[in-house]
Amino acid sequence: MGELLANLEVELGGLARRCRSLEDTAAIAAGQSQGDPMEQSRLVVAFQELDLLTQSLGDLARLAGAAGGSGLARFPVDTDMVRHSLRLTGLAERLLGQPQNQDDPPGLELFL
């Protein structure tokens, strides 16, 4: 399981870097006129990257589902490690299958 998780970490890190790149491209596109052929070309590449990102995330989701349905499911999860590794407490709670605090208003979760 350790090797699988390490490989997933590498893959997800690469996807996060691609997302940041797409954010930069979107900012450029929003600030420029649509008539610039160079910017249009960059948008086409960005949309292709977004498509690849979407497909990769779908594949990773299917892999996680398959792993969860396999013998790996019997290994215990260190819930403290999950909570301390993630900045978003709502994400950690959802990943651990814990109910979210009903007193908290829905919306964006901000972090520093």
Side-chain angles (χ1 to χ4, degrees), residues 90-111:
L91 175 60
E93 290 172 358
R94 289 190 305 274
L95 289 174
L96 295 171
Q98 297 176 346
Q100 298 202 356
N101 187 344
Q102 298 300 319
D103 296 332
D104 292 339
L108 294 177
E109 184 173 0
L110 302 177
F111 59 92

Side-chain angles (χ1 to χ4, degrees), residues 5-97:
L5 293 174
N7 290 338
L8 285 174
E9 179 181 7
V10 169
E11 182 67 21
L12 291 172
L15 292 173
R17 286 187 295 278
R18 288 176 116 155
C19 284
R20 284 190 294 274
S21 176
L22 289 173
E23 289 173 3
D24 294 342
T25 302
I28 291 169
Q32 303 292 323
S33 70
Q34 292 182 334
D36 183 350
M38 185 62 119
E39 291 304 317
Q40 289 177 345
S41 176
R42 289 175 69 167
L43 284 173
V44 168
V45 171
F47 287 126
Q48 290 171 339
E49 286 292 308
L50 181 58
D51 181 55
L52 180 58
L53 176 62
T54 301
Q55 290 182 50
S56 296
L57 288 170
D59 280 350
L60 289 172
R62 284 185 286 281
L63 176 61
S70 73
L72 294 174
R74 64 185 163 90
F75 290 100
V77 173
D78 182 347
T79 58
D80 288 334
M81 181 274 305
V82 172
R83 282 190 195 94
H84 290 95
S85 296
L86 300 174
R87 288 192 226 181
L88 300 174
T89 57
L91 175 60
E93 290 172 358
R94 289 190 305 274
L95 289 174
L96 295 171

